[in-house]
Amino acid sequence: MKFELIELREDRIRFLLSGVTAAFANGIRRACMSEVPILAIDQISLYDNTSVLFDEQIALRLGLVPLQSKDLDSYSRPEDCQCGGEGCPGCRVDFMLSAEGPGMVYSKDIQFTDPGVKPAFDKIPIVILGEGEKVVIEGFATKRVGKDHSKWQAGTLCGYKNLPKIEIGASCDGCGKCIEVCPRDVLALEEGRAKATNILECSLCKLCIEECEAGALKVTPVLDSFVISIESSGVMPVKELVAKAAQEIRKRAEDLDAKLAELT
Amino acid sequence: MIPVRCFSCGRVVSHVWEEYRERIKTEPPGKVLDDLGIDKYCCRRMLLSHVELVDTLRRYQ
């Protein structure tokens, strides 16, 4: 397995993984989206809501606020918790949100009992309150995975494609038609011949092949190399997300290993 | 109210809504979205096509 970093930002990573199967690449993609546990607001009690939004709408909006945690590992998932899923400080973070209008209620107004937990973005509008309108909300956040609900999804847009390979045969006469038709500017003219200069952007659309009268082009996917792009919802830096996804895969493999060992 | 996240990809888009709404009064929306880092077309349509109805509805509360 070979790893090559293409792009790294706080919330987005793109890397080239070669020498692996499609199943492995897909495993990483799926683990990023649905296996990394994070905190999200789970249940709320509304003591007062005279705003224009319905209770359910406010509940949904609160749930979708991504929550950052300084010490995520100190929380356990409700089903693994020592309390047996009833709810205790080990698997819950309580919060309060009370506001009176006029004005906008933002995600930064949510007060968590754990000072290490805070919304990833401060300026997410929750509800706008008019003169004399009021909301009083209490509730808790739990740690779960993206499989349970998309609000627990740590990676938002995760995907991969095969690394494209463009071969240009000897019959290329440098007409430049393939360069014109390419929607992603993958090809360029060099020394009277077409050359693939920006191969990572190629989406394998094969428009260039259709356009090439000389039949000189050959575009194929490299079957064991993948360009993987992962985007984090903001709950953690994307580097950490990919590392945690890999850990989750390892944990599952080890579980399977242990179960198989019991059988024999 | 602007949806908290993009319907298609799940990225948070609402945190830039107020800035976006202020800035499009003087600047072209496409440029503002580029500036704010909303680069995918699924997220861009969330802000571009949003109509704020909360203040209109309040009168009939």
Side-chain angles (χ1 to χ4, degrees):
Chain A
M1 183 164 57
K2 222 180 102 208
F3 175 91
E4 198 183 310
L5 188 67
I6 300 165
E7 187 195 355
L8 175 64
R9 294 193 338 214
E10 182 70 6
D11 65 338
R12 199 171 294 173
I13 190 171
R14 237 174 138 214
F15 56 91
L16 180 67
L17 206 58
S18 11
V20 296
T21 60
F24 186 82
N26 192 35
I28 290 185
R29 180 190 73 85
R30 286 188 57 156
C32 285
M33 284 174 68
S34 60
E35 300 289 352
V36 177
I38 54 163
L39 287 170
I41 290 174
D42 196 5
Q43 276 187 32
I44 64 167
S45 311
L46 284 118
Y47 296 112
D48 203 355
N49 175 23
T50 49
S51 73
V52 283
L53 290 194
F54 292 118
D55 296 359
E56 292 88 338
Q57 281 178 300
I58 295 179
L60 174 68
R61 294 184 72 85
L62 283 171
L64 289 176
V65 172
L67 302 178
Q68 277 178 350
S69 172
K70 277 204 183 107
D71 193 11
L72 193 61
D73 295 332
S74 65
Y75 293 101
S76 49
R77 292 173 59 182
E79 56 268 30
D80 305 331
C81 187
Q82 53 188 12
C83 67
E86 273 176 33
C88 69
C91 59
R92 274 184 185 182
V93 196
D94 292 312
F95 77 92
M96 264 304 286
L97 174 64
S98 54
E100 207 166 330
M104 182 75 88
V105 182
Y106 292 104
S107 52
K108 64 169 188 273
D109 301 323
I110 306 171
Q111 302 292 332
F112 286 95
T113 47
D114 179 353
V117 177
K118 67 175 183 63
F121 303 96
D122 282 342
K123 290 213 77 166
I124 299 174
I126 305 290
V127 58
I128 187 161
L129 298 172
E131 187 68 46
E133 291 175 356
K134 205 173 153 192
V135 282
V136 180
I137 302 166
E138 193 189 86
F140 60 85
T142 51
K143 184 175 159 185
R144 281 177 200 273
V145 291
K147 254 195 265 184
D148 298 325
H149 189 286
S150 59
K151 66 184 172 185
W152 283 293
Q153 217 175 297
T156 49
L157 193 76
C158 307
Y160 65 87
K161 67 173 179 192
N162 280 106
L163 179 72
K165 189 175 163 198
I166 303 177
E167 284 168 278
I168 293 150
S171 55
C172 175
D173 54 6
C175 68
K177 278 185 185 158
C178 53
I179 297 160
E180 247 168 65
V181 79
C182 182
R184 296 191 167 197
D185 299 327
V186 174
L187 299 155
L189 212 55
E190 261 178 41
E191 291 164 8
R193 285 166 59 88
K195 201 183 168 211
T197 49
N198 195 10
I199 191 112
L200 289 172
E201 289 305 312
C202 176
S203 66
L204 294 160
C205 68
K206 302 194 176 175
L207 279 173
C208 47
I209 296 180
E210 273 173 38
E211 207 62 26
C212 187
E213 276 158 22
L217 281 163
K218 207 172 147 199
V219 182
T220 45
V222 182
L223 290 176
D224 69 341
S225 291
F226 300 90
V227 181
I228 303 179
S229 53
I230 307 281
E231 190 187 74
S232 159
S233 64
V235 287
M236 58 179 89
V238 70
K239 236 164 99 181
E240 208 180 309
L241 170 66
V242 179
K244 280 199 173 168
Q247 271 170 27
E248 288 298 323
I249 297 175
R250 169 173 294 197
K251 211 155 70 187
R252 290 179 152 232
E254 277 167 1
D255 280 356
L256 180 66
D257 214 26
K259 288 218 170 85
L260 286 173
E262 274 171 35
L263 289 176
T264 48
Chain B
M1 299 289 301
I2 178 89
V4 175
R5 296 194 190 202
C6 169
F7 288 154
S8 302
C9 72
R11 189 189 151 99
V12 177
V13 292
S14 56
H15 63 299
V16 298
W17 167 246
E18 291 190 332
E19 190 183 341
Y20 170 79
R21 195 162 60 159
E22 274 311 304
R23 282 178 62 179
I24 54 165
K25 288 176 187 161
T26 53
E27 291 169 70
K31 201 185 138 273
V32 180
L33 287 169
D34 287 340
D35 258 16
L36 295 170
I38 309 290
D39 49 3
K40 283 175 291 188
Y41 55 70
C42 59
C43 308
R44 287 167 86 93
R45 62 91 206 254
M46 295 303 295
L47 292 163
L48 269 173
S49 59
H50 180 67
V51 181
E52 194 77 316
L53 280 175
V54 169
D55 295 320
T56 321
L57 284 173
R58 176 164 294 115
R59 273 182 264 151
Y60 308 102
Q61 177 80 327

